[in-house]
Structures are given as C-alpha cells and as structure tokens.
Amino acid sequence: MKKSLFGFAAASIIALSAAAHAAPKEVRIGTEAAYAPFEFVDPSGKIVGFEVELGDAICAAAELKCVWSNVPFDALIPQLMEKKIDGIMSSMSITEKRRKSIDFTSKYFQVPNAFVAKKGTAIELTKEGLKGKKVGVQSGTTNADYLKKYFDGVVEVVRYQTQEEVNMDLVNGRLDAMVVDSVIGTEWFKTDQGKDYALASPMLKDPVFGEGVGVGLRKGETELKAAFEKGVSKVLADGTAQKLSLKWFGVDIYK
Amino acid sequence: MDPFWSYGLMIAGGAGWTLALIIAVIPVGIVLGLLGAAAKLSSWRLLRFLAESYTTFIRAMPELLVIFLVFFGGARAFNWLLAGIGFPEIQIDFNPFVAGVIALGVVQGAFATEVFRAALLAVPVGQTEAAQACGFTRWQTFRFVTLPQVWRLALPGLGNLLQILIKDTALISVVGLADIMRNAQIAAGATKQPFTFLLLAAAVYLLFTTVATAVMMLLERRANHAWRRA
Amino acid sequence: MDFELIAEAWPDLLKGAGLTLQLLILPLAVATILSVPLAIARSSSRFWVRIGPAAYTFVFRGTPLLVQIFLIYYGIGQFESLRDGFLWHNILSNAYWCAMIAFTLNNLAYITELMRGGIQTVPQGEVEAARAYGMSAFQTYRLVILPRMWRTILPAYSNEVVFSLKATSLASVVTVLDLTGQAKVYYSQYYEPYDFFIAAGFLYLVMVFVITRILKVIEWLLGADRRPVKHRGETPAAADVADPATGPAGPA
C-alpha cells in the first residue's frame, strides 16, 4: 500500500510538471461561457454562442488556431497578464480603465446597456428614482462600474459571479432590476425564464461603458494584434459578422 | 433529448473532474503531511518553526480564500519564483484544475501534518529504542519500525480528511472547473429547475462520500488485522 | 503588497469581518440548542426514534455546504407558490438569512453527531445510579448525562467552531459581503490578488486566535474539578486531543 501510494505521489508530481510548458503554439482564447447567447456551455459541455462563432471566424481570417477556455469573468484580465491565456473574447468592452492593464483590437461589435426589470416598470435614472433599489450586476463588468460611479450609496449594488445568477435572482424577486447588455436582455426575454421582463430604461450612454467589444490582448504583442486586427476587419467587411448576428439574434446588431 | 437527461448527463460528466481532482490531491496532501510531520518533530528549530507556521496559517484560512489566492495569484508568484531560481522559460498553467490541486493539496497537507504527527508520536518510544539497541540506524528505525505503524494509526484521521476533501472539491467550481457543482449551476441557470439539478448534485456527492467511507472502513480493517488476531 | 490599497479596503474588510462573526455566532447558537434534543433522539435505542436524526446528519454531513447554500438560495426559487408567500418576502428573499439558515442546518448536523458521541461515552453505571436515586429521565439528562457530555465534547466542539468560522466564507458566493466577499469585490476592481486576500486571511487568523483562546478558557473552567494538582514545570498532555484533523470531520 505504502509503495503504491508513493508511486502515486511521484506520478502526480510528474503530471503536474507536464502541465508546465513553453511558449504556446496555438492561441488560447479566454471567455466566460455563462453569457448566453454570446458565449455559453451547451448540454454536451461545448462552448458555443455568437461571439464564439464570430471569434472562430476572426481567427480563421487571421490564420490563427484558436482554442477556447472557460474562465470566470473577473479572472480574464489577470489570466491574460499572467499568460495563462493569449486573448480575451468575452463581450469585454474596451474601456480606459482596462486599457491601463491590457491592449485591445478595434471593436467587433458594440451593444448598448440598459436596466432590465419586470414588464411595466420604468426606471427613472436619478438618485431619487433609484433610491433604495436593489440592482444586480455581474462582478467586474462595466455595468458594475456604472452603478458604482453614479449610484454608489444610493442603490444597493448586488454583485454576482455570473450573469446566469443575476437572471435567476431577478426572477426570484430578490432584485428590483439589473443592468445588462441590452442584447443579453432582449434574448433573455425570449426564454421561458425571462418572458415577464423588459428593458426598463433608455439605453445608457456613458464613457464608463467603453467603446465596444474588442479582442483583449497583452500589451506589446504587436504581431498577434496585427493578425487579429486583420481578422476583425475582414469579418466585418465580408458580411460574416452580420450573418452571424442574424443567425443568433434575428436582428443585425451592426445596423 | 429531454433537458433533464441531457443536463443530468452533463452533471455526471462533471463527476469525472471531481474524481480526478480527489485522486490528484490525495498524494499531494499525504506527501506534504509526512514532510510537515517530520519537520514538526525534527530537532532543527527552523524546520519546526516553518512547519508550525504552515499549519497555523493554513488551518485558520477559509478554503475558499486559499483557492482564490492560488487561482488568482498563484501563477504570478510561481513564475516569479521559477524565474528567480533560473527557469524563466517554464510557465505553469494555472488552470482551475491545477490551481485546485495545489490549493486543496496545501490545505490537506496542513491537516495531514497533524494526523501524521499524532500517529508518529503514538508509536511507543520503547520500540524505537529497542530498534536502535539492535543496531538500526535512525533511518532504518523510521523505515522499518515507525512508518509501518504510522499508516495504521493515521488511517482514521486520513478518513476524515478524505471526507473533507470530497466536499471541498465543490469549491473549485467557483473558479470555473466544470465539476459536478459547476455543471449543476449551469443546468440550474439554463433551465427553470435549479432545485432539481442541485439536488441531483447533492445526491452524487453523497454517493462519493458514502463510497469513501466504505473504502476507508475496508482499509482500516485490513490495516488492523495483525492487531485483531490476538 | 500595496499598503495604500489595503488601507482603502480596510474599513470595508472590517465591516465584512463583523458580518462574518454574525454568520458564525447566530447559527452556532441556534444549532447548539437544537442539537441537544436531536442528539438524544439520535442515541435512542429505538430504531424509529433514531432513524430521523441519523438520516439528517448523514445527508448534511455527506454533501458539500456549497450545494446546501445554493439549494436554499437558488433552489427554493423553483417553487413559484413559495415565492409569493410570507416566508419568501421576509426571510428567503434575503441572502443574509439564506446563509444563516444554511449554516444553522449544517452546524446542526455536525454538532448533533458530536453530542451523540459525548452522550454515548457517559458510563452506564452513572445513568443507572441516577435512576436508582429516583431521578426521572429528564433529571438524569439534565443533571448527569448532559453536563458530562459537555465536558467530553468541548475540545472537539472548539474545532467545530473554527471550521464553522471558515465555512462562513461560502456566504460570499451568494452575494453576501462578508470578509471574503469584500476581499473579492476589491480584487475585481483592482486585479491585485495578494493584497486583499492576504489582508482578509490575516483577519481570519486573528478571529481564529481569539475564538480558540476564549474556548480554551471555557474548557479550563469546566474542567476545574478534574484537574490534577499541577506541579511546577508539568505540562498537560491533553493538548493533542484538541486537533481538528483528528476530531470529527468538520463542515466543508
């Protein structure tokens, strides 16, 4: 027993060091796959969605081999900086704050954000209108930054690990509203779970939301960035992006 | 396929990751535990101090915090360390699995240190003295007299640690490992039946802990058989 | 380590630590009180009395606390009829109370088993003697069995308290801003993994230290009549018993 235990220990140490490796040959893309329909895990365990298909198209156009991995949203930037992944495609908006840590390609889509609440509720975007409301956001998103910037101490900001959890708690009645990408909202309204909900505010316009979604990359990786730039401009120019938008959302978000 | 079955299968698939995590952590915990116990009983003060700090700190830290530290900060620390000792080209990939093995291994090691220390102390001094009187070296005494008994004496404590470990693996879902718990959450989010799928996950964990209890009982019976015969 | 960042987070971390203590003390107190009848039933010689508590502790000790919290927080929302009820609006709609309920149920299972062990170590002779003196079953429990049980289980109970304190960190996954939750919020604003988590770890260490000292004092006070007359330079060997790893498996 002892012998086999020690053998086991040795084997596992070898296995651990096998996980250590030199420079990557393929491009590892990190995404937080709990953001349907942009990126989510289907029942077979595969990462799918609009942004995943668009990302694959961008990679193909950039002549890169991309592999996707599922990373919690607020771990994406640290993992990129620590070279655990090589790129981020996770509906991550290009913002000044994030630019301090990482680099972005130009945007490949942009959707405005808005409040979502039970049908028939209208949210007044003032301190009085929002006073005491419980508003859910996903941790580490621009939505969380927006609430902190304008309504800190006015609304009770409830932070969740994933968007799925925010949705669940809105339905459970623990939240008065949530702030979310409007496309995530409108797609969710089509599901059984979200059918009683609607956009409750005009589209929010604020620098805190950034300049659209781009591929997040480490600073100084000019070659990789040039390749991705080429890919992004190609899928936007040849209609691939629009086609995928129609496929996943039924509308062209590029209009 | 009916969503219940497809998501149910997904949770069963997550059980594979949970099992892999358990199997990978056990040897890490045992090795760290033996080293820790040896250090605590060593005559070298610095070693005793290091082992004492290790167990005190880790046993006071919530497992979730250890996991966050290793997952979010482990790679930076490790790669800095590796570069410092002259291997800048090695990059350890801190995916949730590796981070889980390290975090839970370190936690288990701290508890196993105490289990092994208690077991080592429980071996009667007379036996080691007798062995040395027979001309055994210190290493031979440890290898042929102490160690075989430590296994038997440590088993009940290790059984408890295994139970803790099985339940702790669920925490790795928080940093994104597609284990039982994470898949149950995905299923809960995608369907309108969080209760159903979380209950299913609970049942799978219960199966794991029950089987582990049975295995440990078997091991204890085998280990004790020389003592039972009398 | 950036001490300016830690200083910025410090008031919130302390607030979180306060919440952590609440999440420790209230569930622990309720569970300890409820454990007494449950443990007595659990150690009954009658199968039908024993089976209920036994099944309860089996399930709650055999599954991760994280699953239990999620079941209570997100799972119960599946039952729409419940979502309109009184219980939901006043208690279950609040993450803080959901965490409290989960911790209480979890502690209850571990402490019940602990007390069962303590009750079973009371020598049969003492129980029989009490009955021979004409004590009722209630009196026997109150005056003989339970006081003795307390003294037996106290070292293991202290471990349980430490485990329970660490387990409160799981409240952070259901949006409660306890110590771990606060550290996580600051982490996702600054992406500095060491400062906030290490500062939080330090506060946990302080709490564990203070709590174990308090429990040691209680242990010492309760054992007053059992202490041998201590001579100078002698150290009690009982310290090894108070070890979490060798005690019963804690909540995880």
Side-chain angles (χ1 to χ4, degrees), chain A residues 5-150:
Chain A
L5 261 173
F6 283 119
F8 206 6
S12 75
I13 288 164
I14 291 163
L16 261 180
S17 52
H21 54 74
K25 291 194 181 63
E26 48 196 11
V27 182
R28 296 163 299 174
I29 304 293
T31 192
E32 190 238 13
Y35 211 59
F38 287 90
E39 44 264 328
F40 59 100
V41 180
D42 73 1
S44 71
K46 221 171 149 272
I47 300 172
V48 295
F50 164 72
E51 200 172 349
V52 179
E53 283 187 21
L54 185 62
D56 280 336
I58 291 171
C59 291
E63 288 160 19
L64 296 168
K65 185 173 179 287
C66 291
V67 283
W68 294 79
S69 62
N70 197 351
V71 177
F73 193 77
D74 52 13
L76 280 167
I77 289 178
Q79 292 217 351
L80 180 68
M81 290 164 73
E82 286 154 20
K83 301 186 181 169
K84 291 186 228 173
I85 52 175
D86 307 304
I88 298 171
M89 285 196 231
S90 193
S91 291
M92 186 176 275
S93 306
I94 307 160
T95 64
E96 278 316 304
K97 192 179 145 202
R98 289 177 181 141
R99 271 221 178 98
K100 283 181 197 151
S101 320
I102 62 171
D103 204 356
F104 285 98
T105 64
S106 15
K107 68 176 177 188
Y108 50 84
F109 70 78
Q110 179 165 24
V111 289
N113 303 43
F115 279 85
V116 163
K118 254 231 160 87
K119 265 183 192 160
T121 339
I123 300 244
E124 208 187 309
L125 292 180
T126 58
K127 291 201 170 170
E128 293 74 44
L130 277 164
K131 201 165 178 55
K133 292 253 190 296
K134 286 181 97 170
V135 184
V137 284
Q138 189 185 358
S139 164
T141 60
T142 52
N143 301 319
D145 293 339
Y146 170 77
L147 287 182
K148 190 169 164 68
K149 186 171 171 197
Y150 292 104

Side-chain angles (χ1 to χ4, degrees), chain A residues 187-205:
Chain A
E187 281 304 306
W188 182 59
F189 305 150
K190 293 178 197 160
T191 67
D192 196 27
Q193 196 190 33
K195 64 181 189 301
D196 297 329
Y197 293 82
L199 295 181
S201 76
M203 297 302 172
L204 305 170
K205 287 195 175 66

Side-chain angles (χ1 to χ4, degrees), chain A residues 199-222:
Chain A
L199 295 181
S201 76
M203 297 302 172
L204 305 170
K205 287 195 175 66
D206 194 273
V208 89
F209 289 114
E211 312 133 36
V213 173
V215 185
L217 297 166
R218 265 186 300 280
K219 284 187 172 171
E221 301 227 346
T222 40

Side-chain angles (χ1 to χ4, degrees), chain B residues 4-194:
Chain B
F4 178 81
W5 290 109
S6 51
Y7 283 110
L9 274 177
M10 185 175 166
I11 292 172
W17 277 111
T18 300
L19 189 65
L21 197 56
I22 294 167
I23 291 173
V25 171
I26 290 172
V28 178
I30 287 181
V31 168
L32 282 178
L34 282 172
L35 288 176
K40 273 201 170 185
L41 298 174
S42 118
S43 49
W44 204 13
R45 236 172 104 188
L46 179 70
L47 275 183
R48 283 208 306 273
F49 173 76
L50 285 176
E52 201 60 57
S53 324
Y54 165 54
T55 57
T56 310
F57 278 100
I58 294 298
R59 292 193 312 167
M61 285 268 257
E63 286 78 357
L64 193 59
L65 208 57
V66 179
I67 290 166
F68 282 158
L69 257 175
V70 172
F71 182 71
F72 293 120
R76 207 185 293 178
F78 246 91
N79 294 339
W80 177 79
L81 201 73
L82 284 169
I85 56 173
F87 298 99
E89 71 280 3
I90 300 178
Q91 291 276 334
I92 293 184
D93 179 11
F94 268 58
N95 59 43
F97 185 79
V98 174
V101 172
I102 292 173
L104 294 182
V106 165
V107 170
Q108 287 274 310
F111 285 104
T113 296
E114 298 302 326
V115 171
F116 284 126
R117 191 186 69 100
L120 282 167
L121 286 175
V123 176
V125 188
Q127 292 190 13
T128 47
E129 283 171 357
Q132 293 193 345
C134 290
F136 278 39
T137 64
R138 276 186 65 168
W139 165 249
Q140 284 173 326
T141 312
F142 179 73
R143 170 70 189 80
F144 296 106
V145 179
T146 313
L147 201 60
Q149 303 189 64
V150 163
W151 174 242
R152 179 183 69 95
L153 292 165
L155 261 181
L158 294 180
N160 277 337
L161 289 189
L162 180 60
Q163 295 285 323
I164 295 178
L165 170 61
I166 292 170
K167 289 176 277 174
D168 275 355
T169 58
L171 298 177
I172 309 297
S173 68
V174 176
V175 292
L177 182 71
D179 69 338
I180 299 170
M181 189 63 204
R182 178 78 195 111
N183 286 350
Q185 278 169 265
I186 291 172
T191 65
K192 272 185 98 178
Q193 298 154 329

Side-chain angles (χ1 to χ4, degrees), chain C residues 116-174:
Chain C
R116 177 193 65 101
I119 289 173
Q120 283 175 349
T121 56
V122 176
Q124 200 53 38
E126 287 188 20
V127 179
E128 280 164 16
R131 300 309 289 269
Y133 268 119
M135 284 192 192
S136 67
F138 178 75
Q139 282 174 320
T140 313
Y141 268 109
R142 197 175 73 84
L143 299 169
V144 179
I145 300 179
L146 293 182
R148 220 175 190 296
M149 173 209 78
W150 263 114
R151 208 157 45 195
T152 321
I153 69 166
L154 209 62
Y157 185 84
S158 309
N159 292 329
E160 219 41 73
V161 175
V162 173
F163 269 111
S164 194
L165 173 71
K166 300 199 305 176
T168 57
S169 68
L170 295 197
S172 67
V173 297
V174 290

Side-chain angles (χ1 to χ4, degrees), chain A residues 78 139 160-161 169 172 174, chain C residues 73 88 92-93 175 184 187:
Chain A
S139 164
Y160 295 81
Q161 193 75 21
D169 247 11
N172 282 344
R174 289 200 185 97
Chain C
Y73 190 79
W88 183 271
L92 291 173
S93 63
T175 77
K184 186 76 199 306
Y187 163 75

